[in-house]
Amino acid sequence: MKAYEESVSEDKFEEVTMKEESTPQQVSNKPDYRIVQVETDKTGKATYSNVGGMWKNISKAGNEFYTLKIGNLKLLVFPNKK
């Protein structure tokens, strides 16, 4: 394997700014729904730990669905319509 050395100067890069017409999904990856797990501490008090989230998406065909992510598991969630 060969090692390459490259000098990086600031003139090769440009600052990218977010456009105002961006959707909220593009601006941040904050989920629409949080997935939490209930745990109890030594005193019996319930605490909630964040384990994942669910994001709303729209397919190219215009169908609405959700992406559910818990840890490394990623699932697609569709409405149960006939």
Side-chain angles (χ1 to χ4, degrees):
M1 177 183 263
K2 294 182 180 180
Y4 295 98
E5 194 172 310
E6 184 175 335
S7 64
V8 179
S9 63
E10 290 187 28
D11 59 340
K12 292 183 180 180
F13 300 99
E14 65 181 69
E15 184 176 344
V16 178
T17 58
M18 296 299 293
K19 296 179 182 177
E20 288 186 21
E21 67 246 11
S22 299
T23 62
Q25 181 70 18
Q26 293 172 338
V27 174
S28 76
N29 62 353
K30 182 179 175 184
D32 296 320
Y33 296 96
R34 292 183 305 130
I35 311 298
V36 295
Q37 181 176 3
V38 180
E39 298 175 346
T40 56
D41 59 6
K42 293 179 182 178
T43 62
K45 183 180 176 185
T47 58
Y48 299 93
S49 36
N50 220 3
V51 294
M54 198 159 75
W55 293 264
K56 183 177 181 180
N57 297 304
I58 298 177
S59 69
K60 291 180 182 177
N63 299 325
E64 185 178 299
F65 68 97
Y66 286 87
T67 303
L68 171 67
K69 189 164 184 180
I70 299 175
N72 291 331
L73 177 67
K74 184 177 180 181
L75 301 170
L76 299 179
V77 180
F78 297 96
N80 193 13
K81 296 180 183 176
K82 291 188 176 184

